[in-house]
Amino acid sequence: MTASTKAYRARLLRFSPEGEALFEEDGLLVVGTDADGVQRVHDAGPYRDLAARHAQVPVTCWPDRIIAPGFLDMHVHFPQTDIIGAPAEGLLPWLENYTFPAETRFADAAHAAEVAAFFFDELQRNGVTTALTFCTSHPASVDAFFGEAQHRGLRMMGGKVLQDRHSPDGVRDETEQSLIDSEALIRKWHNSGRLGYAITPRFAPTSTDAQLRGAGELAARYPDTWIHSHVAENKDEVKWARELFPKARSYLDVYTGFGLMRERAVYAHCIHFDDADRALMRETKTAAAVSPTSNLFLGSGFFDYEGAERIGMRHGLASDVGGGTSFSPFQTMLAAYYVGREGQTKPGLSLAPSRLWWNHTGGAAQALGLEGVVGTLQAGTEADFVVLNPAATPLLARKTALADSLEELLFALIVLGDDRLVEHVFTA
Ligand SMILES: [Zn+2]
């Protein structure tokens, strides 16, 4: 024990590394700051088993509250914070009419910094402690993002968007310079504290072959960076990608050809896939960022959970704000449940509440290549956690008091919860 060691006694939700939900009605979480300055979980489990071992440690008691891992958002656009809830006739008109004009403003460092601060406040209010984030094509947007994340000591990943064609003035970048800028940003920010760089082609239709090839070369040269893009979100986009890359077997296959599929590669959506695409995801250890509020809002389609499970494709949950309609993990988990239930376009199933929760915490960490780092509250992981008040509203209080099992309790929180549930957020 050191002077920094602290303990929290409350109801405690953790996950095993395999994804099993572990719950203590009377739990203890012991955290302390390690030599590298990062606060980690030193011990966690039932209070009755742990109390004697940590008798000297000061304890904060929250008897009615639930301590749980901080949430991970696998795909979000911080520059789209202000266009959440913008109406459009599907993805491509939405990009043209709202997204690109909003993103143009991020050439201005002061604007980028102001939005980044608001964005991190909003993540915090919702209990999201790690996010894989699009910036814009302007390096200033990346500096604003990482500067603010570093100031707050957060584990965050992001990167400069690459888009050198089929993009309007103001967001379109220039092939060679875009790759030079990306590499300079990798050297500046990647592995600086808890930050990680993501090589970020917007999606295949807005990059030339040369830019995609250059992105793949960067991904090979810096193998522990992330790769972050979109694929197979809506049928018009799939058709366009097939016309632009006629030699590829499928839209997803375009990315393999440029060396953009590997561990820590994350593709948002992955809706209009066949089993060969899913197998390619599995073989390359590439992960899908499932974005259900966005897919329902833009009418893009329904992620096939049965197919993902059957083939063994890595996946986790994401808000995809501004296409997504909420920063709240509870809203995202509920929308994922709706998407899972849909059984007209693909097999419908009922996702267990503990699985939805895993897909937004430890399972998302695993898909992101952050297994053992965050998301489970296992000993040795970073101490990013939330304190939830299950009686935050009258209906929540009534419903959670009736819960007879962990699944019933978690489902009540998912269906009725929002940012009012999140009482405290602790980051390592
Ligand atoms: Zn997106």
Side-chain angles (χ1 to χ4, degrees):
M1 172 192 158
T2 66
S4 74
T5 308
K6 296 186 200 90
Y8 302 93
R9 183 179 180 182
R11 303 167 88 188
L12 177 62
L13 176 67
R14 293 174 298 145
F15 286 93
S16 76
E18 294 75 36
E20 187 196 350
L22 310 168
F23 190 68
E24 309 298 340
E25 277 297 339
D26 184 11
L28 192 70
L29 180 73
V30 182
V31 304
T33 305
D34 292 336
D36 59 1
V38 176
Q39 187 159 278
R40 292 193 177 79
V41 177
H42 284 182
D43 209 351
Y47 177 80
R48 63 177 182 279
D49 296 351
L50 268 58
R53 278 212 291 277
H54 303 284
Q56 308 304 316
V57 177
V59 181
T60 304
C61 291
W62 289 305
D64 306 321
R65 304 299 193 253
I66 300 168
I67 291 178
F71 292 98
L72 286 85
D73 188 336
M74 285 185 66
H75 172 71
V76 58
H77 300 250
F78 101 81
Q80 295 178 13
T81 300
D82 289 339
I83 60 160
I84 193 167
E89 298 284 325
L91 171 68
L92 300 176
W94 176 82
L95 281 173
E96 191 176 316
N97 297 329
Y98 289 99
T99 311
F100 291 153
E103 292 194 7
T104 300
R105 298 185 61 200
F106 286 74
D108 172 8
H111 177 68
E114 190 273 326
V115 177
F118 182 89
F119 172 79
F120 287 120
D121 285 347
E122 198 61 22
L123 291 188
Q124 163 117 8
R125 281 179 356 89
N126 284 287
V128 176
T129 48
T130 289
L132 174 61
T133 311
F134 264 57
C135 299
T136 65
S137 57
H138 317 95
S141 73
V142 183
D143 286 330
F145 172 79
F146 281 128
E148 188 65 30
Q150 188 160 62
H151 175 64
R152 298 177 187 224
L154 302 174
R155 178 166 285 287
M156 290 285 162
M157 294 85 80
K160 175 198 136 47
V161 175
L162 299 165
Q163 50 181 125
D164 66 349
R165 67 165 170 173
H166 300 142
S167 306
D169 293 349
V171 293
R172 192 179 57 255
D173 58 10
E174 190 274 316
T175 314
E176 200 179 337
Q177 189 60 44
S178 73
L179 299 167
I180 292 169
D181 289 343
S182 294
E183 184 157 22
L185 290 164
I186 291 170
R187 288 167 178 272
K188 184 170 180 184
W189 294 111
H190 185 58
N191 289 335
S192 165
R194 301 173 80 205
L195 307 177
Y197 192 83
I199 297 160
T200 310
R202 178 161 220 118
F203 64 140
T206 51
S207 286
T208 58
D209 284 26
Q211 194 176 45
L212 292 171
R213 197 172 306 114
E217 285 164 9
L218 280 176
R221 207 174 313 143
Y222 299 94
D224 69 340
T225 55
W226 279 264
I227 298 167
H228 189 193
S229 191
H230 300 92
V231 74
E233 177 173 3
N234 107 355
K235 286 187 174 167
D236 291 341
E237 171 221 8
V238 172
K239 186 163 164 280
W240 190 27
R242 300 304 306 274
E243 286 163 11
L244 292 169
F245 300 94
K247 289 193 198 126
R249 191 202 71 83
S250 66
Y251 178 4
L252 180 70
D253 191 47
V254 172
Y255 294 114
T256 338
F258 291 106
L260 291 168
M261 294 183 73
R262 60 152 164 77
E263 184 147 33
R264 292 195 169 185
V266 177
Y267 287 84
H269 310 303
C270 304
I271 294 171
H272 305 286
F273 266 13
D274 58 17
D275 278 353
D277 289 322
R278 294 185 188 103
L280 180 60
M281 295 284 286
R282 180 194 60 210
E283 282 152 22
T284 56
K285 301 187 166 123
T286 300
V290 184
S291 307
T293 72
S294 172
N295 300 153
L296 294 171
F297 182 68
L298 291 170
S300 302
F302 304 91
F303 180 80
D304 184 347
Y305 278 96
E306 188 275 336
E309 190 74 358
R310 182 167 39 77
I311 304 288
M313 169 174 120
R314 296 180 180 199
H315 61 280
L317 284 171
S319 70
D320 191 28
V321 165
T325 51
S326 176
F327 283 100
S328 171
F330 302 100
Q331 306 275 308
T332 300
M333 291 188 284
L334 178 57
Y337 182 80
Y338 296 152
V339 164
R341 278 302 320 148
E342 191 278 334
Q344 310 306 309
T345 65
K346 44 92 182 157
L349 42 81
S350 286
L351 296 164
S354 59
R355 176 174 167 193
L356 290 165
W357 209 292
W358 165 250
N359 281 343
H360 225 339
T361 54
Q366 218 170 57
L368 285 164
L370 290 174
E371 191 173 2
V373 180
V374 287
T376 60
L377 296 183
Q378 289 290 321
T381 62
E382 295 172 355
D384 288 347
F385 62 97
V386 295
V387 181
L388 306 176
N389 176 8
T393 70
L395 185 56
L396 267 168
R398 188 177 173 93
K399 182 68 190 170
T400 55
L402 290 169
D404 276 333
S405 66
L406 177 61
E407 295 295 343
E408 287 184 11
L409 173 65
L410 297 181
F411 207 35
L413 299 175
I414 289 170
V415 173
L416 300 173
D418 56 30
D419 55 298
R420 289 171 293 181
L421 267 178
V422 181
E423 204 163 72
H424 304 285
V425 179
F426 291 83
T427 47

